[in-house]
Amino acid sequence: MSHLVIALDGPAASGKGTLARKLAKHFNLALLDTGALYRAVGWSVLNDGGDPTSEKDAVKAAKNMGNIDLSNRELRTESIGAAASKVASMPAVRQLLVDFQRTFADNPPKDKDGTILDGRDIGTVICPDAQVKIFITAEVETRAKRRFLEEFGPKGTDQQYLNILADLKARDERDMTRSTSPLKLAENAHLIDTTNSDIEAVFEATRKYVSSVA
Ligand code: CDP
């Protein structure tokens, strides 16, 4: 593969999305937020009055994803994140999304110098041969605080924060212990802990790392 492929993985609200956008811009890469695919499946199941733990409902939604707007802000809520994590634990759902992700990784548009995908299994399963693998994480309380501010802003209540914290812990547990494509550190992945760093510092360190290996 001649173009650059960056595989970026990490747990919920670790800062993957923001870092992925900054790296994509800096290195002129096409970006795929693979979490949006699973969120779209979860959203579609709920929207049709289905059950995200039912494989039948989830597979039906995954087969009919063509019309869903992946940039819809509704997909970003923590309740859709929870539904996404339930459908994402099903091998049949993951299988339906694999080809789309690999085709994206392998075929950057002509005006781009490569691709970047962010998710949970990019470095381990989707793009095991990616030149650059990054695993970004932070303590769960820090991640919950970031997601809480994103979703409720400065007027959010303590109870809303505690609900988000509980949801993230449940999601991490589900994502790390499922039998198919669990979230784990890929071999050769560069580990970044963002608990005590702001996004600019994280971006700067990652930019240097990518430039040194790519
Ligand atoms: O933005 P955040 O980190 O909260 O989540 P996301 O990346 O949008 O992913 C939502 C859910 O989709 C995750 O909790 C995973 O269960 C699932 N997912 C996955 O299984 N594999 C991926 N490559 C991406 C997301």
Side-chain angles (χ1 to χ4, degrees), residues 99-118:
D99 286 350
F100 177 81
Q101 297 173 75
R102 290 203 179 126
T103 303
F104 181 95
D106 292 348
N107 297 284
K110 284 204 170 56
D111 62 338
K112 297 288 180 189
D113 297 323
T115 53
I116 176 167
L117 290 82
D118 76 274

Side-chain angles (χ1 to χ4, degrees), residues 9-14 16 33-36 38-39 76 78 81 84-86 88 94 101 118-122 147 168 171 175 178 181:
D9 291 303
S14 50
K16 291 186 305 295
D33 164 10
T34 65
Y38 293 94
R39 285 175 179 271
R76 295 302 318 158
E78 196 43 47
S85 155
K86 288 173 189 156
R94 304 198 74 82
Q101 297 173 75
D118 76 274
R120 300 290 184 290
D121 61 341
I122 309 303
R147 185 54 45 91
L168 285 199
R171 196 140 70 89
D175 291 350
R178 67 187 177 210
S181 307

Side-chain angles (χ1 to χ4, degrees), residues 57-129:
D57 291 353
V59 165
K60 186 172 158 221
K63 282 183 175 161
N64 292 296
M65 272 193 33
N67 302 325
I68 302 173
D69 172 13
L70 296 180
S71 64
N72 181 350
R73 292 294 304 163
E74 267 182 48
L75 297 186
R76 295 302 318 158
T77 65
E78 196 43 47
S79 58
I80 298 300
S85 155
K86 288 173 189 156
V87 301
S89 69
M90 299 169 193
V93 170
R94 304 198 74 82
Q95 195 50 45
L96 283 165
L97 302 179
V98 164
D99 286 350
F100 177 81
Q101 297 173 75
R102 290 203 179 126
T103 303
F104 181 95
D106 292 348
N107 297 284
K110 284 204 170 56
D111 62 338
K112 297 288 180 189
D113 297 323
T115 53
I116 176 167
L117 290 82
D118 76 274
R120 300 290 184 290
D121 61 341
I122 309 303
T124 52
V125 174
I126 302 294
C127 304
D129 299 329

Side-chain angles (χ1 to χ4, degrees), residues 13 18 48 57 74 76 84 90 95 138 157 163 183 186 201-202 212:
T18 311
D48 288 348
D57 291 353
E74 267 182 48
R76 295 302 318 158
M90 299 169 193
Q95 195 50 45
T157 63
N163 291 346
L183 170 67
V202 171
S212 74

